[in-house]
Amino acid sequence: ITPVAMYGTGTHNICRCSLYWDKKTKKAYLLIHHLVDQPEDKDYQLWATVDGKPVNVGIVQDNIRGRFIEMNNVPAGATAFSITLEKAGGNSLPTVDETYLQGSI
């Protein structure tokens, strides 16, 4: 299991999250330490960076705080992870200026 410390970016520098990536099962486990509550019409979305490109991992159910959040189908070859705030239901590409957390392996 590969641990990844995720830190807040820009004006969101207070945000913190720990991610644990199990490459064998292709699952990641998120533990939110601090993340701003999302508006009702938005969702947080996890991205993996593979070959320099963002790959959607899925919507982060951030209402589960203080417990691990399981994310499935993390792509092989990821070198970094980020969490962005997107329209409800997620996006096909990340909204870069809405990046709240980032962490590199």
Side-chain angles (χ1 to χ4, degrees):
I1 293 181
T2 303
V4 180
M6 297 183 71
Y7 297 101
T9 63
T11 60
H12 313 294
N13 61 358
I14 194 168
C15 297
R16 296 284 185 274
C17 175
S18 295
L19 182 143
Y20 301 91
W21 178 26
D22 186 337
K23 295 176 184 178
K24 187 182 275 186
T25 64
K26 298 183 179 181
K27 292 183 180 185
Y29 301 91
L30 291 169
L31 181 59
I32 296 170
H33 304 295
H34 182 77
L35 188 59
V36 178
D37 289 334
Q38 72 206 39
E40 286 187 29
D41 63 338
K42 303 273 185 169
D43 281 321
Y44 283 112
Q45 191 167 352
L46 178 65
W47 304 90
T49 303
V50 179
D51 295 328
K53 296 179 182 167
V55 177
N56 174 24
V57 177
I59 300 298
V60 175
Q61 300 301 323
D62 81 316
N63 57 337
I64 305 172
R65 294 182 185 228
R67 297 187 323 210
F68 283 101
I69 302 165
E70 183 178 299
M71 304 294 294
N72 296 305
N73 301 316
V74 177
T79 57
F81 292 93
S82 62
I83 293 178
T84 59
L85 187 62
E86 303 293 346
K87 65 183 180 185
N91 240 340
S92 59
L93 291 173
T95 306
V96 176
D97 61 339
E98 289 291 337
T99 301
Y100 277 65
L101 292 158
Q102 264 183 317
S104 297
I105 298 172

